[in-house]
Amino acid sequence: MNVTIDLEEISAMRTAATDAGTVPVTVAFGDGIGPEIMNASLKVLMAAGANISIEPIDIGERVYLAGETAGITPDAWDSLRRTKVFYKAPITTPQGGGFKSLNVTVRKSLGLFANVRPCAAYQPFVATKHPGMDVVIVRENEEDLYAGIEHRQTDEVYQCLKLISRPGCEKIVRYAFEYAKAHGRKKVTCFTKDNIMKLTDGLFHKVFDEIAADYPEIENEHWIIDIGAAKLADTPEAFDVVVMPNLYGDVLSDVAAQIAGSVGLAPSANIGEHCAMFEAIHGSAPRRAGQDVANPSGLLLAGVMMMAHIGQPEVAEKVHNAWLKTIEDGVHTYDIFKEGVSEEKVGTDAFARAIIERLGQKPTSLQPVSYQADAKPFAVPQATKRPAAKKEMVGIDVFVHSTKPVEELAQAMQGSDNQAFELAMITNRGVKVWPAGLPETFCTDHWRCRYLAKSGKEFNKAMIVDLLRDLNAGGVDFVKTEQLFTFDGEAGYSLGQGQ
Ligand code: NAD
């Protein structure tokens, strides 16, 4: 099953005329089908004249199992920080706890905030329900629930923190508009759930509206994610570039790739201010490993994005057009092979050779691509610096682990009442249950008790210390506190449901 990495053969295929301008690229051959599809992809890129030198690194399963819980060694980080360009085959994350996702670690450590996933249909050569589909998903890559900050707080309740920052929103939204402008795209759509998450998703939507105003030539629209996702799955041809926070983007980019034809065809670029990483969106497909059957298209098209990124658009164009011609000629791997449409079923290596044979050709039915004319390079956007807002503390939420009935809990919490502030409400999983809750509301053992400054009174940190001392003396099992602020007079906290 072991697949050899054809590094010598690949390097010998290098046809670039000169060493001047050679771009060093860190390459990970990955696990499962990784080595086969990386061999195939690099051979095609080299045959097309890619002027790159390869720095191989070892990441993934072997590294995890050797005791590196992040799946990557210090040497590999050195290479990535030196070359700033990472071409990565899929890896296998070992089952069981204790192993952190290498992808998330690399994206976040290197600041790769923009995940760009073009999802196009190749009708009639690859079966699809959406022949006109040509959507680019731009997913925020570092924030949201992927901050990975989770806690168990009571017997019954666990939490995951959703963190959204203004610089994070500004960078990704501006990236989406800059991408649209550089690629001649007409519309940018934003998906959020800001009818529910008014502060976090609300910020993303607000920044989208602010930045859209800087691009009057590009149409913009916002959809609540649920109906937006339904429309994307039903009529993807109505969308062009779609930008969204991390979790929604993770889910919907796979949906978009699959309804376009196959997740096996979709590439992805992870772009940051300092570095960039290019990979297929699929995994290491261990059951297909070592059989020379896997489709290298996702990784190869990621390589095409990489060539455009490092300033070799002529190579990107040549490879992409030869790939389209191969698909159009019906030379297909098993995953997209269809009797009556496909002409020849080939393995990984033969597919790569078929593309190499077509280098210099363009598709005739499918639309040829032109990176040199249609994709202009653009600078990675930065967030704007803003003056700090006037921040005032107006209260505190104290989260409590308790199995008491709410009236009894309210009594225990009231005991800590003070001249300057008062217990304003208690919620259970966000629903107001005191005062005047409904008996039908299901309650767990996790309560949020909100104290607010009385009108005209100041609330300060010394009061929090006193409050917690009193609660502790009263036997209250508080598990977390969250201060309540206003920023320039605007509440920086949500109301309780039903408040
Ligand atoms: P997978 O994408 O590896 O496979 C899903 C299905 O798609 C399988 O049936 C497979 O046969 C098929 N498939 C995927 N890529 C293909 C290709 N290029 N050609 C033909 N068929 C292909 O997803 P999975 O099985 O859920 O995950 C397997 C491993 O990959 C896991 O260890 C997971 O953690 C890892 N993974 C890695 C990455 C990454 O490195 N970027 C991404 C996703 C999953």
Side-chain angles (χ1 to χ4, degrees):
M1 288 278 282
N2 256 353
V3 174
T4 43
I5 294 170
D6 304 335
L7 204 49
E8 263 179 45
E9 189 187 336
I10 291 164
S11 299
M13 287 177 74
R14 189 162 168 271
T15 58
T18 158
D19 278 352
T22 302
V23 179
V25 172
T26 301
V27 174
F29 285 77
D31 301 314
I33 59 170
E36 295 158 72
I37 60 174
M38 184 56 92
N39 278 335
S41 300
L42 284 173
K43 284 178 189 173
V44 176
L45 295 177
M46 288 305 199
N51 194 2
I52 58 174
S53 61
I54 295 167
E55 280 198 17
I57 58 167
D58 204 11
I59 58 165
E61 198 172 24
R62 277 182 308 280
V63 180
Y64 278 117
L65 297 177
E68 293 278 356
T69 52
I72 181 164
T73 59
D75 285 358
W77 282 120
D78 290 346
S79 171
L80 288 173
R81 296 185 60 222
R82 189 170 50 246
T83 68
K84 305 184 187 332
V85 185
F86 188 17
Y87 193 25
K88 177 184 160 292
I91 58 141
T92 302
T93 310
Q95 295 287 316
F99 301 109
K100 286 293 256 186
S101 160
L102 173 68
N103 276 340
V104 178
T105 304
V106 171
R107 286 172 191 160
K108 288 172 63 171
S109 304
L110 297 180
L112 309 181
F113 68 88
N115 189 328
V116 184
R117 293 183 171 186
C119 303
Y122 305 102
Q123 171 83 0
F125 308 103
V126 179
T128 175
K129 295 190 184 79
H130 304 289
M133 179 170 179
D134 183 12
V135 173
V136 179
I137 306 282
V138 178
R139 160 191 170 195
E140 198 291 320
N141 222 10
E142 295 181 287
E143 307 198 330
D144 197 357
L145 290 154
Y146 289 62
I149 306 175
E150 294 189 290
H151 301 93
R152 179 176 179 178
Q153 294 180 322
T154 67
D155 284 324
E156 296 176 349
V157 172
Y158 300 68
Q159 76 163 14
C160 176
L161 288 187
K162 172 165 168 130
L163 296 178
I164 302 273
S165 75
R166 179 172 259 279
C169 295
E170 286 184 8
K171 286 192 299 177
I172 194 65
V173 170
R174 197 168 284 286
Y175 188 93
F177 278 97
E178 285 293 319
Y179 181 95
K181 195 167 131 186
H183 291 82
R185 299 218 166 222
K186 305 279 178 280
K187 182 167 79 171
V188 179
T189 304
C190 174
F191 286 173
T192 70
K193 188 74 184 170
D194 67 335
N195 55 330
I196 303 296
M197 285 161 278
K198 294 189 163 63
L199 291 182
T200 48
D201 281 22
L203 175 66
F204 198 96
H205 186 174
K206 187 172 170 204
V207 168
F208 177 78
D209 288 344
E210 285 169 13
I211 288 178
D214 293 344
Y215 299 85
E217 72 283 16
I218 298 172
E219 197 187 328
N220 72 82
E221 62 178 7
H222 171 268
W223 290 100
I224 299 289
I225 178 83
D226 34 15
I227 187 62
K231 279 177 179 288
L232 179 66
D234 188 49
T235 48
E237 52 283 355
F239 294 91
D240 196 344
V241 174
V242 190
V243 64
M244 56 193 118
N246 204 341
L247 177 62
Y248 313 141
D250 192 1
V251 176
L252 285 187
S253 55
D254 269 31
V255 172
Q258 186 66 17
I259 63 171
S262 164
V263 278
L265 300 182
S268 110
N270 297 265
I271 309 286
E273 197 186 332
H274 309 290
C275 303
M277 171 169 85
F278 301 86
E279 59 180 346
I281 75 165
H282 60 74
S284 58
R287 273 177 300 164
R288 305 287 179 182
Q291 297 159 37
D292 188 35
V293 294
N295 187 346
S297 296
L299 188 61
L300 178 65
L301 293 177
V304 166
M305 295 174 89
M306 176 175 78
M307 297 317 295
H309 175 83
I310 63 174
Q312 299 181 21
E314 64 291 352
V315 180
E317 188 169 315
K318 200 169 176 186
V319 172
H320 201 156
N321 281 327
W323 178 83
L324 288 166
K325 180 83 172 95
T326 310
I327 294 293
E328 187 181 279
D329 286 348
V331 182
H332 293 167
T333 45
Y334 82 93
D335 54 315
I336 56 168
F337 184 87
K338 199 162 180 217
E339 215 64 66
V341 176
S342 307
E343 293 288 331
E344 192 187 349
K345 190 189 277 184
V346 290
T348 314
D349 197 51
F351 184 68
R353 276 186 277 116
I355 301 169
I356 291 170
E357 278 165 21
R358 289 166 177 78
L359 286 171
Q361 298 182 35
K362 288 186 176 168
T364 49
S365 299
L366 294 169
Q367 185 69 24
V369 291
S370 171
Y371 283 81
Q372 297 178 83
D374 299 341
K376 297 164 199 70
F378 61 92
V380 173
Q382 312 252 332
T384 44
K385 286 256 175 289
R386 300 178 147 245
K390 183 165 183 283
K391 179 175 158 194
E392 282 180 281
M393 190 162 47
V394 296
I396 188 165
D397 282 345
V398 179
F399 292 78
V400 173
H401 181 180
S402 167
T403 51
K404 287 181 184 153
V406 66
E407 287 302 334
E408 229 176 281
L409 176 67
Q411 197 60 40
M413 305 305 284
Q414 288 277 14
S416 326
D417 202 358
N418 172 297
Q419 288 304 304
F421 60 88
E422 62 194 347
L423 180 66
M425 70 164 182
I426 301 178
T427 67
N428 194 288
R429 288 178 304 158
V431 184
K432 192 186 75 159
V433 290
W434 183 94
L438 296 178
E440 289 81 5
T441 306
F442 174 77
C443 291
T444 67
D445 59 359
H446 183 271
W447 311 82
R448 185 251 313 250
C449 304
R450 172 162 292 177
Y451 295 88
L452 287 174
K454 288 180 183 165
S455 175
K457 304 276 186 191
E458 186 206 343
F459 187 78
N460 60 39
K461 286 186 180 146
M463 291 173 189
I464 298 176
V465 175
D466 290 345
L467 170 65
L468 295 181
R469 191 183 300 116
D470 288 351
L471 293 178
N472 188 40
V476 172
D477 182 7
F478 51 86
V479 292
K480 168 190 159 105
T481 62
E482 197 84 57
Q483 284 139 265
L484 309 176
F485 300 105
T486 59
F487 291 84
D488 292 334
E490 205 175 296
Y493 51 91
S494 57
L495 298 178
Q497 206 75 45
Q499 192 184 359

